[in-house]
Amino acid sequence: MSNSALSPLPSADRPDVAARLRDALLGASFTADGLLELLGAPAYAALARSEVVPALRATRGDTPLETLVRLFLLQQPVPHARVADFLPVDACLEAGWLTGIGGDEVAATVDIRPYGGPDGEDWFIVSDLGCAVGGAGGIGSRDEGVVLGVGGASTTLAGITVRTPVAAALDLGTGSGIQALHAARHATRVTATDLNPRALHTTALTLALSGAPAADLREGSLFEPIAADETYDLIVSNPPFVISPGARLTYRDGGMGGDDLCRTLVQQAGDRLTEGGYAQFLANWQHVEGEDWQDRLRSWVPRGCDAWIVQREVQDVTQYAELWLRDAGDHRSDPVEYQARYDAWLDEFEARKVRSVGFGWITLRRTGAAEPSVTVEEWPHSIEQPLGEAVRAHFDRVDYLRATDDAALLAGHFELAAEVVQEQVGLPGAEDPEHVVLRQHRGMRRATKVDTVGAGFAGVCDGTLSAGRILDAIAQLVGEDPVLLRDRTPAQIRLLVEQGFLNPVE
């Protein structure tokens, strides 16, 4: 079906109305905090599962906030006279934010989801009706041009993005504009692209309603809308990464075979980055029979870029197909049609010899180094968002280690990272532990085994003594030759620096 089946969107050329609507929403505490306080945690969490009954029960009163939740989140018509007490109704009707129903009621033409910014900003994410909570919930199966609201992938990407001040940022495949909204906080100029013109219109509404500067909006696929000589300090993309047969749903299906869309996006990003610039993506990738998945991803990394690729999850092909069939609401369709679509997914995977699909993050950084660093790892464990600063620090450590030989390493000074603890593992009552583990309680929350020298070294790193001086003292304590200890320990120090347990001190 075409986009014409969807509701007409509000005008993007009426910033005055958007500003008045924003003031009214804030005045009624229609914010992320206000929503949580009104609904309570269980009903609020149920929205993410597309379950609205608890929220409907929590909004049976007549307060402005309850009325706004029913209107803009739960798709319920409300009396014109009631909402006129706190909304600029006539202006919203004229600009298309509301539509009249039966003469005495109004209904929203879009969903509006309150969204809290990283510094306490009150933002609003605009999306198609029924898409502000819990994803498409089946709407996507009826219209492929639908624009979704905030989802787990959106917030994950926003959390891992490096947030240093930049001149120019690009949000590729902007959707409802969440990443462009975040980028507007620290980028002088924001460009947002999308293949779907409805998404660009929605992004303009999101930015206006959130009080953010307008972005440069461009229609097209991947880097097509970007001139050959344009470069950016930051590129972010939550692309339509789903590996599917065909391209039925614009918001999720890339339209290329297998994981080619993600591969193409990564490979083409290198030439679009300024020196030191970052490109950060969410992606899916195939695990192909007879092929190492890490080698597959290394082959994607463009020349002249450092890379850090983290696989967060792996699903076998049946789990993966079921996930995205449910996402589109296909499980609620005719059983014969559902089975045919399921078969098509498995046929596609079988033809490509795909056994499972990985999901994770890809970060590139443009570098002039002769030998770029490419790290590909699996990390399914818990992390602490936001991770943007941890991502930036990772590449700082890459630069340090690349420029520092063992002699300079031993002459350097280090500090133990914040909130690192030591755990001793062994049998109860044993005189000595079998091994010692250092564990982070921030960022990636890594854990690594160390020997007694490594544990002792990390424990006294406070920036005052050089690494060599510390090792000399440890050698004296344990009765080991200091020269031999200096020879064998740099590799362990490098690992502790690489993984963020130790930070070099300037």
Side-chain angles (χ1 to χ4, degrees):
M1 296 177 69
S2 69
N3 286 349
S4 61
L6 293 164
S7 301
L9 293 171
S11 171
D13 299 322
R14 294 294 306 273
D16 57 323
V17 178
R20 291 176 64 192
L21 176 56
R22 171 179 170 78
D23 289 343
L25 297 177
L26 293 174
S29 296
F30 187 69
T31 63
D33 289 342
L35 199 63
L36 180 59
E37 184 175 347
L38 170 68
L39 300 182
Y44 189 83
L47 290 176
R49 304 189 298 271
S50 299
E51 297 292 348
V52 298
V53 172
L56 286 168
R57 291 173 61 85
T59 57
R60 289 181 291 194
D62 205 27
T63 67
L65 179 55
E66 288 169 301
T67 306
L68 288 173
V69 172
R70 289 198 300 274
L71 180 64
F72 287 119
L73 273 183
L74 305 177
Q75 297 84 50
Q76 302 296 305
V78 299
H80 183 292
R82 174 69 192 106
V83 80
D85 291 342
F86 48 86
L87 274 186
V89 176
D90 291 340
C92 287
L93 285 165
E94 181 189 349
W97 291 94
L98 299 175
T99 186
I101 301 287
D104 60 353
E105 287 188 317
V106 295
T109 58
V110 289
D111 281 0
I112 298 175
R113 175 69 181 262
Y115 180 72
D119 290 327
E121 301 94 341
D122 288 314
W123 290 338
F124 301 97
I125 309 300
V126 179
S127 60
D128 273 313
L129 289 172
C131 294
V133 294
I139 285 180
S141 65
R142 297 196 298 273
D143 196 298
E144 63 98 27
V146 70
V147 179
L148 300 192
V150 183
S154 304
T155 55
T156 294
L157 179 59
I160 67 172
T161 300
V162 176
R163 297 296 176 192
T164 52
V166 296
L170 171 63
D171 176 14
L172 193 150
T174 186
S176 55
I178 300 161
Q179 308 308 324
L181 183 57
H182 277 277
R185 293 176 59 250
H186 63 103
T188 304
R189 176 171 58 89
V190 176
T191 301
T193 71
D194 207 289
L195 183 64
N196 183 3
R198 188 175 181 88
L200 296 175
H201 191 137
T202 303
T203 291
L205 298 175
T206 289
L207 294 173
L209 195 58
S210 298
D216 178 4
L217 304 176
R218 305 186 194 179
E219 182 180 342
S221 176
L222 296 176
F223 289 101
E224 287 174 5
I226 307 303
D229 60 349
E230 282 186 273
T231 56
Y232 294 87
D233 309 296
L234 174 67
I235 299 172
V236 292
S237 184
N238 176 18
F241 53 65
V242 177
I243 300 170
S244 60
R248 188 162 58 104
L249 305 178
T250 301
Y251 71 87
R252 70 170 203 195
D253 300 327
M256 296 186 184
D259 51 18
D260 282 355
L261 181 128
C262 290
R263 175 185 57 78
T264 302
L265 177 61
V266 173
Q267 289 179 337
Q268 293 182 355
D271 290 337
R272 307 294 183 168
L273 287 174
T274 58
E275 186 71 20
Y278 290 92
Q280 299 188 259
F281 315 109
L282 301 186
N284 277 179
W285 43 78
Q286 298 172 151
H287 286 224
V288 180
E289 184 179 337
E291 182 179 349
D292 184 284
W293 69 270
Q294 293 182 324
D295 290 342
R296 181 183 189 83
L297 289 173
R298 286 189 185 95
S299 74
W300 291 9
V301 178
R303 294 179 60 184
C305 287
D306 293 325
W308 183 21
I309 301 173
V310 181
Q311 179 168 276
R312 294 287 291 155
E313 186 179 357
V314 181
Q315 291 184 316
D316 68 47
V317 291
T318 59
Q319 293 173 309
Y320 189 80
E322 290 162 16
L323 169 67
W324 294 109
L325 288 166
R326 286 196 305 272
D327 171 81
D330 291 330
H331 61 304
R332 295 193 294 269
S333 67
D334 176 72
V336 175
E337 185 178 355
Y338 174 81
Q339 182 175 337
R341 285 183 170 158
Y342 200 150
D343 265 333
W345 284 72
L346 297 185
D347 285 345
E348 179 88 0
F349 285 133
E350 187 174 328
R352 295 179 178 275
K353 298 184 177 180
V354 176
R355 294 293 173 258
S356 55
V357 177
F359 168 82
W361 324 319
I362 298 176
T363 300
L364 307 176
R365 185 189 59 166
R366 190 77 189 173
T367 179
E371 295 185 17
S373 165
V374 177
T375 300
V376 183
E377 63 176 317
E378 186 164 18
W379 191 254
H381 312 294
S382 65
I383 57 164
E384 182 189 52
Q385 285 273 37
L387 267 176
E389 179 58 24
V391 172
R392 187 198 60 77
H394 166 88
F395 288 96
D396 284 350
R397 295 192 299 270
V398 165
D399 283 342
Y400 172 82
L401 292 171
R402 189 160 45 201
T404 307
D405 61 19
D406 285 356
L409 190 79
L410 292 173
H413 295 240
F414 302 91
E415 285 182 341
L416 188 65
E419 296 194 37
V420 172
V421 298
Q422 176 179 305
E423 300 172 358
Q424 298 190 147
V425 181
L427 293 172
E431 185 175 341
D432 296 311
E434 291 178 19
H435 57 260
V436 177
V437 173
L438 299 182
R439 187 179 301 278
Q440 302 166 353
H441 285 272
R442 302 292 299 274
M444 291 293 286
R445 294 178 172 166
R446 296 188 186 277
T448 189
K449 290 182 183 180
V450 292
D451 59 20
T452 53
V453 171
F457 179 86
V460 297
C461 278
D462 60 5
T464 56
L465 294 176
S466 70
R469 291 280 303 279
I470 293 172
L471 289 178
D472 290 345
I474 292 175
Q476 189 171 4
L477 281 173
V478 300
E480 188 167 340
D481 185 329
V483 175
L484 294 178
L485 193 60
R486 278 175 173 253
D487 282 346
R488 70 176 176 86
T489 307
Q492 191 169 191
I493 298 175
R494 285 185 181 278
L495 180 65
L496 293 175
V497 172
E498 179 186 342
Q499 296 190 346
F501 289 93
L502 294 176
N503 294 317
V505 178
E506 295 296 333

